[in-house]
Amino acid sequence: QVQLVESGGGSVQSGGSLRLSCVVSGTTYRSYRMGWFRQAPGKEREGVAAILRDGSTSYADSVKGRFTISQELAKNTLYLQMNSLKPEDTAMYYCAADWRISALPRLAGSAYNYWGQGTQVTVSS
């Protein structure tokens, strides 16, 4: 059974950095796409960054230039390096993965069928 487990969240001051990790277990097949999503209290879930099997990446406009998504295939791990954090980045961050080949938008939640439990990121001003 596929499982995704996030870690690396925490509390930082504005301008600080964090690196989130997501370990995938339960399969040896490389996913077609993986992504990071976030949801703040009272707000809708937002796609933050995504990476496809071919290595291409996509980012939400709100994080471009500050966040970087990457993979370490040997460790079945997905990362999200977050720099220059802002209070508005405060949210629960979720890792997601999908093995289906499709043309669904990379940052759409509907494009993913496996989700982690989330890790909290809090940025104070």
Side-chain angles (χ1 to χ4, degrees), residues 87-103:
E88 50 264 43
D89 294 318
T90 295
M92 184 72 78
Y93 283 72
Y94 298 91
C95 168
D98 195 274
W99 278 259
R100 301 167 297 179
I101 299 175
S102 74

Side-chain angles (χ1 to χ4, degrees), residues 1-3 24-32 53 73-76 99:
Q1 182 177 357
V2 174
Q3 287 189 321
V24 181
S25 63
T27 180
T28 58
Y29 293 98
R30 186 178 174 187
S31 61
Y32 177 70
R53 187 181 293 166
L73 298 177
K75 294 185 177 181
N76 287 336
W99 278 259

Side-chain angles (χ1 to χ4, degrees), residues 13-16 62 66 83-90 122-124:
Q13 290 191 331
S14 182
S62 58
R66 299 189 298 123
N83 298 328
S84 302
L85 282 162
K86 305 175 181 180
E88 50 264 43
D89 294 318
T90 295
T122 303
V123 185
S124 57

